[in-house]
Amino acid sequence: MKSYDETINTVFDRIGEYKTAQKRKKKIITRTLLPVCSVVLITVIGICVWQSGILKSEPPVTLEDSTVIGEKDYIEPDELDNSQEEQISSSSYNSTSQTDDTQPDIMQIPGENDMVDIIGSVKVDGIQYLQCSTDATLFTADKYLGDAKDFEGSYKQFSNDFNSMANELYTVKESSNVMMIKLGNGGTVILGRVGEIIVDGKTYFSTQWVKNEFTVDKYLGKAEDFELIEVPYRESFIVPEDEIWTVQENSNILFIKKDNGDILVYSIWE
Amino acid sequence: MDNGASSYRRFRENGDESGLIEIIREYRDGLIFYLNTFVGNIHIAEELAEDTFVLLGTKKPRDKGKGSFKTWLYTIGRNLTLNYLKKHSKKTEISLDDCPELISDEESLEEAYIKEERKITVHRALKKLKPEYRQVLWLVYFEDMKISQTAAVMKKSVHNTETLVYRARKTLKSQLEMEGFVYEEL
């Protein structure tokens, strides 16, 4: 049997050992946890940054998105000369100038001199047609109108690029508001008539402008009273029951009022 | 020292080691004898009593103050002993008769702790009873615990403990009579 003092010494020795072991455990845990937490934190931050898309590079502009099919896969910045770059900076839908002025600019139609992108465009009998991404096989070529280079638009403007090719312009059987161009390289481009409604001889198209910037003025009638431009497979925001209103601030802007009270802002091409 | 509670509080809250030393001096022997009623080996009981004090010093459990400090301490010792018995249930037990060293150690502790010759005789007779009787009689007759305190340590109801004390006392009396003793306090 141990004496009291021996028991006391043994008990305190064991308590001391326990405390030392606890300290060692704490040290090990701290040493292990710190790097593990750092790695986890870095991983989480990395995932967040990756998910936010900050690191993603801009994809090149492809011709599929914009212009004549089949010529090139993308546009090199060097290929645009200075004048074209200037045109880009004063693009038809210039949001900067819109914020500067109280009244938004009227949308500029891409024309012979101010073609800022190489979206295919032609003007036939004064009517502007723009390339759309509709499936070309949905349409059948009808009447041959001539070479697209002979009409105002991108094919004439960039005729140097198309010199070696004949780009045949056709009407289509399915719609009078659609044109077809059969490219010399075998590709086909579909172009739809610009705008959705014609009011007093002016063609209006949908904008994303805010209605609060304008004051409603005069009621012109229902949409069905005017000529609606229907392009097959292109979404139109106007239905015959919609009401057409002018606005006080600008004679080239219309309000299209829907049944449910929603108002869309429409502007002309200039 | 008020039954160990203030000593333990001093140790637990202020880190005063003398508090734990006081507890060891005051309760060691009684705890060893009590735990010996479970394990039947005074050296193992001593180790388990030591484990109980080490647990107080390391985990520093909080005495909820429901009973006396002694009751609480003995309950901790009992729990540790039951855990020990679970772990070592399959191991062969050494008979006391086969180990004279154990007997002499126990006898010397008896003389130091129990002191009275008559009580020492009763204590030796306890060894021949079953463990539960040994435990309850130790707590009631040697540690002077009330039935309620004994019940708390043994985790039994007061009624059960009373019954157990009655039966244990009766068995012990017969045992002593068989050995030629008459102990009127029983």
Side-chain angles (χ1 to χ4, degrees):
Chain A
M1 287 291 295
K2 289 178 183 173
S3 67
Y4 286 118
D5 288 339
E6 283 172 335
T7 306
I8 289 164
N9 286 337
T10 311
V11 167
F12 279 100
D13 284 349
R14 286 177 62 187
I15 292 171
E17 282 169 17
Y18 174 84
K19 284 180 180 170
T20 313
Q22 286 297 104
K23 277 182 189 171
R24 202 169 50 238
K25 266 186 193 173
K26 263 189 188 173
K27 266 188 181 176
I28 291 169
I29 290 170
T30 314
R31 277 182 198 166
T32 314
L33 273 185
L34 199 68
V36 168
C37 287
S38 308
V39 169
V40 169
L41 192 69
I42 289 166
T43 309
V44 168
I45 291 171
I47 289 170
C48 289
V49 169
W50 183 66
Q51 293 279 7
S52 68
I54 291 170
L55 299 178
K56 285 179 188 170
S57 57
E58 287 284 324
V61 179
T62 64
L63 291 182
E64 274 180 22
D65 297 332
S66 57
T67 186
V68 184
I69 298 168
E71 271 299 298
K72 298 173 184 174
D73 289 337
Y74 61 91
I75 305 162
E76 294 289 346
D78 298 339
E79 289 180 62
L80 294 172
D81 61 29
N82 290 340
S83 63
Q84 286 168 345
E85 284 173 6
E86 280 169 16
Q87 284 170 341
I88 289 169
S89 67
S90 60
S91 174
S92 56
Y93 187 73
N94 191 331
S95 59
T96 311
S97 63
Q98 186 180 327
T99 51
D100 291 341
D101 299 331
T102 52
Q103 184 175 312
D105 290 346
I106 302 304
M107 182 73 91
Q108 297 293 312
I109 190 166
E112 188 176 2
N113 298 321
D114 55 0
M115 187 66 196
V116 294
D117 200 346
I118 46 177
I119 294 173
S121 68
V122 287
K123 194 181 252 185
V124 180
D125 297 334
I127 297 171
Q128 189 74 34
Y129 296 84
L130 278 186
Q131 182 180 353
C132 49
S133 57
T134 311
D135 183 1
T137 59
L138 299 170
F139 297 94
T140 320
D142 188 15
K143 191 176 152 192
Y144 175 68
L145 299 179
D147 195 308
K149 289 196 290 284
D150 298 333
F151 294 83
E152 282 183 34
S154 62
Y155 297 89
K156 185 174 185 178
Q157 186 181 356
F158 295 101
S159 56
N160 288 339
D161 295 333
F162 303 114
N163 263 346
S164 59
M165 295 186 289
N167 300 304
E168 298 167 349
L169 179 64
Y170 291 90
T171 60
V172 298
K173 288 177 180 173
E174 289 77 6
S175 171
S176 60
N177 292 324
V178 174
M179 293 286 166
M180 177 187 281
I181 296 175
K182 290 188 177 179
L183 299 172
N185 63 6
T188 306
V189 176
I190 300 298
L191 304 99
R193 186 174 173 180
V194 170
E196 288 180 44
I197 189 168
I198 300 169
V199 177
D200 296 335
K202 295 176 186 173
T203 303
Y204 291 82
F205 74 100
S206 172
T207 71
Q208 299 298 315
W209 295 340
V210 184
K211 65 179 181 186
N212 297 344
E213 292 179 7
F214 306 100
T215 316
V216 68
D217 189 16
K218 204 167 74 179
Y219 175 64
L220 298 180
K222 295 272 188 186
E224 62 194 4
D225 300 332
F226 301 91
E227 186 185 345
L228 295 175
I229 301 168
E230 291 177 12
V231 175
Y233 309 107
R234 187 182 75 181
E235 187 181 9
S236 175
F237 298 104
I238 301 177
V239 294
E241 297 76 29
D242 292 344
E243 293 176 0
I244 315 294
W245 293 77
T246 61
V247 298
Q248 288 177 7
E249 290 80 2
N250 195 317
S251 59
N252 291 324
I253 289 173
L254 292 179
F255 272 0
I256 307 293
K257 194 175 177 187
K258 314 296 283 184
D259 271 354
N260 60 7
D262 285 351
I263 291 175
L264 305 175
V265 182
Y266 272 65
S267 169
I268 66 160
W269 286 101
E270 263 188 357
Chain B
M1 194 174 80
D2 54 349
N3 298 325
S6 62
S7 303
Y8 182 58
R9 201 176 309 122
R10 258 181 21 240
F11 168 72
R12 189 175 182 277
E13 290 170 11
N14 307 328
D16 182 358
E17 292 185 349
S18 66
L20 188 60
I21 292 171
E22 283 168 13
I23 290 168
I24 294 171
R25 286 188 187 280
E26 178 71 17
Y27 296 106
R28 187 194 75 155
D29 294 347
L31 186 61
I32 291 172
F33 275 122
Y34 172 58
L35 301 182
N36 191 36
T37 60
F38 289 85
V39 293
N41 182 319
I42 200 74
H43 286 169
I44 294 172
E46 189 185 10
E47 280 175 23
L48 289 166
E50 213 172 86
D51 289 347
T52 309
F53 296 123
V54 170
L55 190 142
L56 291 188
T58 52
K59 306 282 181 189
K60 296 184 177 175
R62 186 181 289 274
D63 177 10
K64 290 174 186 169
K66 284 182 180 175
S68 71
F69 177 78
K70 190 178 185 178
T71 311
W72 181 68
L73 180 69
Y74 275 40
T75 309
I76 294 173
R78 177 183 180 272
N79 292 339
L80 284 175
T81 305
L82 292 178
N83 285 342
Y84 170 85
L85 289 174
K86 266 186 201 171
K87 282 182 189 170
H88 298 83
S89 58
K90 289 179 182 174
K91 288 187 179 173
T92 320
E93 288 184 9
I94 303 166
S95 164
L96 283 175
D97 299 332
D98 299 336
C99 193
E101 192 196 329
L102 281 177
I103 298 167
S104 73
D105 275 350
E106 191 172 345
E107 283 174 355
S108 58
L109 194 63
E110 271 177 341
E111 284 165 16
Y113 187 69
I114 303 173
K115 293 186 179 91
E116 289 178 51
E117 189 60 37
R118 284 190 310 161
K119 278 195 171 182
I120 289 173
T121 309
V122 174
H123 182 245
R124 286 177 186 168
L126 280 184
K127 290 171 198 163
K128 289 162 185 162
L129 306 184
K130 62 179 188 177
E132 214 172 26
Y133 289 171
R134 286 203 303 256
Q135 289 158 29
V136 77
L137 289 176
W138 174 263
L139 293 175
V140 171
Y141 289 104
F142 291 86
E143 295 292 348
D144 292 327
M145 280 192 185
K146 293 174 188 169
I147 294 293
S148 58
Q149 290 176 315
T150 307
V153 173
M154 294 186 73
K155 295 195 173 166
K156 288 182 181 293
S157 69
V158 173
H159 177 71
N160 278 352
T161 312
E162 280 172 344
T163 312
L164 197 63
V165 170
Y166 172 76
R167 286 180 185 160
R169 200 172 59 178
K170 208 173 164 186
T171 314
L172 178 63
K173 203 174 179 180
S174 335
Q175 182 63 40
L176 285 168
E177 282 169 359
M178 275 168 62
E179 292 175 11
F181 293 100
V182 178
Y183 197 76
E184 291 179 355
E185 287 177 31
L186 288 171

